[in-house]
Amino acid sequence: MNFTEVYYLNTNRKKYIMSTIQEEIAKRKTFGIISHPDAGKTTLTEKFLLYGGAIQTAGAVKSNKIKKSATSDFMEIERQRGISVATSVMSFEYDGNLVNLLDTPGHKDFAEDTYRTLTAVDSVILVVDCVKGVEEQTQKLMEVCRMRSTPVIVFINKMDREGKDPFDLLDEIEEKLKIKVHPLSWPINMGSLFKGVYNIHKKSLNLFRAGSQRVEEEVVSISDINDAILEKQVGEQDARRLRDDVELIEGVYGPLDKNTYLEGTIAPVFFGSAINNFGVKELLESFLELAPTPRSRPTDHGEIQPTDKNFSGFIFKIHANLDPKHRDRIAFLRVCSGKFERNKFFHQVRTNKNMRFSSPFSFLASAKNIVDEAFPGDVIGLYDTGNFKIGDTLTEGKDFNFQGIPSFSPELFKELVNTDPMKTKQLEKGIQQLTDEGVAQLFTHEMGNKKIVGVVGDLQFEVIQYRLQHEYKASCMFQPISLYKACWITSDDKAKLTEFCRVKYQYIYKDKDENIVFLAESAWVLKVAQDNFPEIEFHFTSEFKTKQKV
Ligand code: G4P
């Protein structure tokens, strides 16, 4: 074989590899379903999985919400943790697509976990209950989507119930979620009079036939909404009203510009009833048609395209293994570019270590087992013995760090007090590992080692105390402490930063990555500090460009 032959062989091989990666990327959709608890996220997830053949029966997906009554039932917490490992990522194939559905905890006390999961998706479906409208938790989740310009599709659920007027719901979504909407389907009545939806996008009529044991969806194609078939199907009055509504909608919204959806500025809206499996197939198919394939991601060295030939990915979630005899954890890696290969060395940027993985596993329902390779958009589980922290980047070739996995200021703070000095080591290790997992944020005072734990919801304190005791044999209690906010502080003026840290000495802590944090006692204290020290920048998430240490 001469040199030219080798050259051609190599370039062809390279071309072959590239086209395979591109084909794999084109097949993938990685998304999350978000909602306020009880809006129907679990029900919708289950129906999607039924369509994808990932489950055979209804009721197979357990809701992983922690009911209020269960807050002090620790077995319930353990059970929920078991469920949430199993359902963290659900992958299935549908119509030539490979769909990765990332689960997000509904309970507000675990909102931080949801925010992090949203960093690993390319789009979301937001479920709204037509009776309750937009609820508080949905507003917060939408803020996170807006921060990242994540494309959003809205599914207005429970149309079999007497809910709010659809036009009012659209207004409420625009106003409370601060996103423009574009209805792609429209309901014909609701509650007991619900007759179905007209798909504006595909110009078809999906009729709701309740009453039989299984509600069947009957799809009637109508090329023209003025066709007399409409009267026959839904009656004169509803046909007239539907025509008026659709005329108004088409006049106001016009055709959907897909780019506005992909940029995250306009949310297409669908109506249906998840429990009755109505409007779900239509939602799934429209989602697959509209939703983006794996997108590029920001790093501290610019955007990384999924088609980049070198592998890269980041850890967005760490889950403790349930077996207390083993300290193993599962780290969830989102592949962002290139190809992940089993047993190949990749570089962990934070620790500057090369690592390889002999048993990475996928979450594909049909074959939940070891994978030899994974492509952009995929999420794989890596067994971890404590090497990973949330936000860690793995690369091949050039070093860089993925951005956009910030910690937000916690809402509740308590001081962690060791109640068994003989078990100090265990407590230190336990709290360190739990914060690596992202269960809570830990702020340590430089002198005296005082530890403040910050969380989003009270339930997390109970989880931490329980897990420290059961997994690490450490005993602790939480002392109430009055704090308002954690602010990460930086300044170009090193002398001012040092002075600020000296003046506010009592309230200066370090986070788990050694960043300086100012724990402000009240909004007023924070305002005074900001006024008195204009040279200091106060950040309300842990992600900021310049990290400065004193
Ligand atoms: P979540 O994950 O968002 O918290 O909600 P989930 O799917 O668990 O649904 C919350 C409740 O709403 C469930 O009732 C579910 O059956 C019901 N639901 C979901 N979709 C629809 C719908 O289209 N129409 C109506 N009428 N109800 C719907 P539950 O009584 O809390 O639980 P279960 O006993 O039914 O499991």
Side-chain angles (χ1 to χ4, degrees):
M1 194 187 287
N2 63 30
F3 174 77
T4 328
E5 269 174 334
V6 175
Y7 175 78
Y8 279 127
L9 212 90
N10 279 341
T11 46
N12 279 339
R13 189 174 141 66
K14 201 169 163 192
K15 249 193 218 149
Y16 169 74
I17 292 172
M18 282 313 290
S19 67
T20 331
I21 290 184
Q22 262 151 8
E23 278 165 25
E24 294 293 340
I25 294 169
K27 275 199 250 171
R28 282 160 168 78
K29 306 272 165 161
T30 301
F31 78 111
I33 302 182
I34 54 175
S35 73
H36 190 90
D38 276 346
K41 179 171 73 78
T42 311
T43 314
L44 185 64
T45 302
E46 182 173 282
K47 302 300 175 196
F48 276 0
L49 295 183
L50 278 167
Y51 280 117
I55 54 169
Q56 265 64 45
T57 52
V61 179
K62 299 279 178 295
S63 165
N64 73 355
K65 58 192 162 187
I66 295 177
K67 299 235 158 65
K68 265 217 171 74
S69 57
T71 47
S72 53
D73 179 351
F74 294 110
M75 285 320 289
E76 176 65 11
I77 292 172
E78 286 297 277
R79 196 182 66 81
Q80 298 291 356
R81 283 177 55 219
I83 292 169
S84 72
V85 169
T87 61
S88 283
V89 184
M90 292 160 275
S91 304
F92 60 92
E93 287 174 42
Y94 187 84
D95 206 11
N97 296 279
L98 205 151
V99 186
N100 296 311
L101 201 178
L102 274 53
D103 191 35
T104 53
H107 197 290
K108 71 169 177 35
D109 286 11
F110 297 96
E112 184 98 13
D113 201 6
T114 299
Y115 301 156
R116 279 193 298 263
T117 300
L118 290 180
T119 63
V121 303
D122 297 303
S123 68
V124 304
I125 292 182
L126 193 153
V127 184
V128 173
D129 180 334
C130 76
V131 183
K132 295 188 178 145
V134 175
E135 296 168 89
E136 190 201 340
Q137 186 73 0
T138 321
Q139 277 173 282
K140 282 201 179 153
L141 293 169
M142 188 60 215
E143 263 170 46
V144 179
C145 293
R146 235 193 339 268
M147 262 168 60
R148 284 173 230 291
S149 309
T150 309
V152 176
I153 289 181
V154 176
F155 181 65
I156 300 187
N157 191 27
K158 307 197 185 180
M159 291 307 294
D160 57 319
R161 287 204 180 157
E162 279 326 315
K164 299 187 181 183
D165 176 82
F167 282 111
D168 290 346
L169 280 166
L170 295 185
D171 284 348
E172 192 177 324
I173 292 169
E174 290 206 339
E175 193 187 310
K176 290 195 177 161
L177 299 182
K178 299 189 184 73
I179 186 163
K180 292 246 166 293
V181 293
H182 192 124
L184 291 185
S185 79
W186 197 251
I188 306 165
N189 289 329
M190 58 171 60
S192 55
L193 297 176
F194 181 49
K195 290 192 180 155
V197 290
Y198 174 66
N199 188 329
I200 303 171
H201 185 50
K202 294 202 173 120
K203 304 219 179 305
S204 63
L205 193 63
N206 297 34
L207 296 173
F208 182 71
R209 302 270 186 236
S212 58
Q213 253 194 344
R214 222 192 109 172
V215 180
E216 294 288 343
E217 198 171 6
E218 188 186 328
V219 182
V220 179
S221 293
I222 46 172
S223 52
D224 182 357
I225 196 169
N226 292 315
D227 195 324
I229 198 170
L230 193 63
E231 271 82 0
K232 239 191 186 158
Q233 295 288 352
V234 300
E236 227 165 83
Q237 197 184 347
D238 287 332
R240 198 176 331 117
R241 191 160 148 203
L242 178 67
R243 285 191 190 114
D244 288 349
D245 286 352
V246 170
E247 192 186 337
L248 182 67
I249 291 162
E250 286 181 336
V252 172
Y253 298 98
L256 174 74
D257 174 359
K258 195 174 157 182
N259 284 331
T260 54
Y261 156 68
L262 293 175
E263 287 158 6
T265 49
I266 286 192
V269 179
F270 291 85
F271 292 83
S273 167
I275 193 89
N276 291 305
N277 204 3
F278 189 82
V280 174
K281 188 160 179 256
E282 175 195 25
L283 171 71
L284 177 60
E285 288 177 357
S286 303
F287 161 78
L288 292 173
E289 189 189 320
L290 294 169
T293 52
R295 308 204 295 167
S296 64
R297 311 244 135 200
T299 75
D300 54 0
H301 282 69
E303 290 277 314
I304 291 292
Q305 299 297 329
T307 46
D308 205 292
K309 75 177 192 333
N310 288 325
F311 158 79
S312 68
F314 65 89
I315 304 292
F316 65 94
K317 184 181 174 101
I318 294 177
H319 218 296
N321 212 336
L322 291 175
D323 183 353
K325 284 189 227 96
H326 296 103
R327 259 311 125 66
D328 281 9
R329 308 183 298 180
I330 297 164
F332 291 74
L333 175 102
R334 148 95 197 204
V335 181
C336 297
S337 68
K339 182 161 93 167
F340 173 92
E341 286 173 76
R342 184 161 82 94
N343 280 328
K344 186 169 178 178
F345 275 104
F346 294 119
H347 192 232
Q348 188 188 22
V349 180
R350 179 178 53 84
T351 56
N352 199 17
K353 269 192 204 162
N354 287 324
M355 307 173 91
R356 63 179 173 167
F357 306 92
S358 58
S359 348
F361 59 93
S362 80
F363 297 87
L364 196 67
S366 54
K368 197 170 264 177
N369 50 23
I370 291 177
V371 283
D372 286 322
E373 51 189 37
F375 295 92
D378 285 344
V379 172
I380 49 175
L382 303 173
Y383 290 106
D384 170 41
T385 48
N387 291 314
F388 284 122
K389 282 188 184 187
I390 283 171
D392 275 354
T393 300
L394 278 180
T395 59
E396 176 184 19
K398 217 172 61 180
D399 268 2
F400 54 82
N401 282 296
F402 281 102
Q403 292 183 319
I405 313 149
S407 300
F408 295 85
S409 174
E411 282 161 31
L412 302 168
F413 300 86
K414 281 187 184 174
E415 186 184 344
L416 178 74
V417 180
N418 185 0
T419 48
D420 183 355
M422 301 296 286
K423 299 276 169 60
T424 305
K425 254 192 171 164
Q426 284 88 331
L427 184 72
E428 297 266 339
K429 186 170 176 189
I431 194 70
Q432 193 60 50
Q433 294 209 346
L434 292 185
T435 46
D436 285 352
E437 255 183 59
V439 175
Q441 292 185 54
L442 179 70
F443 304 104
T444 310
H445 200 270
E446 224 169 345
M447 304 292 275
N449 219 12
K450 187 166 162 179
K451 288 181 169 52
I452 305 289
V453 172
V455 296
V456 177
D458 238 336
L459 186 53
Q460 280 168 291
F461 287 123
E462 296 182 42
V463 172
I464 295 165
Q465 203 169 8
Y466 176 81
R467 288 189 58 190
L468 282 173
Q469 194 180 351
H470 286 80
E471 291 171 36
Y472 298 89
K473 306 283 168 262
S475 113
C476 71
M477 57 178 256
F478 284 106
Q479 202 124 278
I481 184 163
S482 168
L483 287 172
Y484 164 67
K485 244 187 179 54
C487 320
W488 285 264
I489 51 170
T490 56
S491 177
D492 291 334
D493 187 337
K494 203 160 183 291
K496 276 282 171 210
L497 190 62
T498 311
E499 190 196 335
F500 182 81
C501 291
R502 188 180 51 77
V503 173
K504 299 283 175 191
Y505 169 75
Q506 223 185 325
Y507 298 101
I508 300 296
Y509 283 72
K510 292 271 176 81
D511 74 0
K512 68 176 169 41
D513 299 320
E514 297 279 297
N515 297 307
I516 313 166
V517 181
F518 168 54
L519 298 182
E521 274 179 294
S522 66
W524 185 78
V525 167
L526 177 60
K527 175 148 192 334
V528 171
Q530 283 172 316
D531 290 347
N532 291 348
F533 289 87
E535 304 83 358
I536 308 278
E537 282 187 64
F538 296 78
H539 311 268
F540 300 100
T541 77
S542 65
E543 195 162 80
F544 40 84
K545 296 273 172 283
T546 44
K547 285 185 179 174
Q548 211 161 352
K549 292 169 186 172
V550 280

